[in-house]
Amino acid sequence: MRIAQQLYQQMVDHGYTSLPNEACGMASGKDGQIEQVWPLVNERPSPHRFFVSKSIVSSTLEAIEQSGQQVLAIYHTHPGTAPVPSSYDLQSHPDTKVKMLIISYKFTPPRSACYSVLSGRYVKHPFHIGDR
């Protein structure tokens, strides 16, 4: 999966504005190229979890579909831990076709990692940040 620096920075900035709590959102595009970031509001602010209501998720998915794109990843932040999925992250991940992207603020600058999730297990997935 690939993302332009500017779009990646949008996700990082979203995370900074949510600290000390987790931030979350979706990333959409085509053929493994992220073309748009969809920041969401963590409706139950916590440094260890995020929650977005079904109605917000549905309306965002509809907007993504109308844009002619598909959801490539769900992103969220880890304010104080490494960019590795927690057991809660694995249990909550809704779709094996959608990647999990985690941005960690434990490090300066923040570090990120992308994963494929299947049956409660994760595998690191290639993730390139940059315009080329």
Side-chain angles (χ1 to χ4, degrees):
M1 190 160 47
R2 300 171 314 281
I3 186 169
Q5 180 65 42
Q6 176 185 351
L7 291 174
Y8 177 73
Q9 192 61 48
Q10 278 184 280
M11 291 189 295
V12 170
D13 292 346
H14 178 212
Y16 275 127
T17 63
S18 299
L19 289 173
N21 298 310
E22 286 196 4
C24 55
M26 296 183 202
S28 65
K30 298 176 194 159
D31 302 320
Q33 177 68 47
I34 294 173
E35 298 174 6
Q36 193 165 356
V37 172
W38 305 80
L40 300 172
V41 173
N42 185 349
E43 297 173 40
R44 294 185 191 147
S46 163
H48 307 291
R49 305 261 189 285
F50 66 89
F51 174 81
V52 180
S53 62
K54 202 176 228 182
S55 62
I56 298 296
V57 170
S58 293
S59 63
T60 305
L61 290 172
E62 187 176 308
I64 291 169
E65 186 177 320
Q66 289 177 356
S67 75
Q69 300 174 23
Q70 62 187 33
V71 177
L72 298 180
I74 296 172
Y75 75 87
H76 73 278
T77 62
H78 283 186
T81 59
V84 177
S86 68
S87 58
Y88 179 80
D89 293 339
L90 294 173
Q91 291 170 5
S92 303
H93 195 71
D95 189 335
T96 58
K97 296 175 192 157
V98 175
K99 304 297 182 245
M100 178 187 295
L101 177 59
I102 303 173
I103 302 168
S104 169
Y105 296 84
K106 179 179 179 177
F107 309 96
T108 304
R111 293 183 190 168
S112 60
C114 183
Y115 301 94
S116 295
V117 179
L118 181 61
S119 301
R121 296 178 184 260
Y122 64 90
V123 175
K124 206 164 192 180
H125 185 81
F127 180 61
H128 175 74
I129 304 164
D131 298 321
R132 284 273 154 202

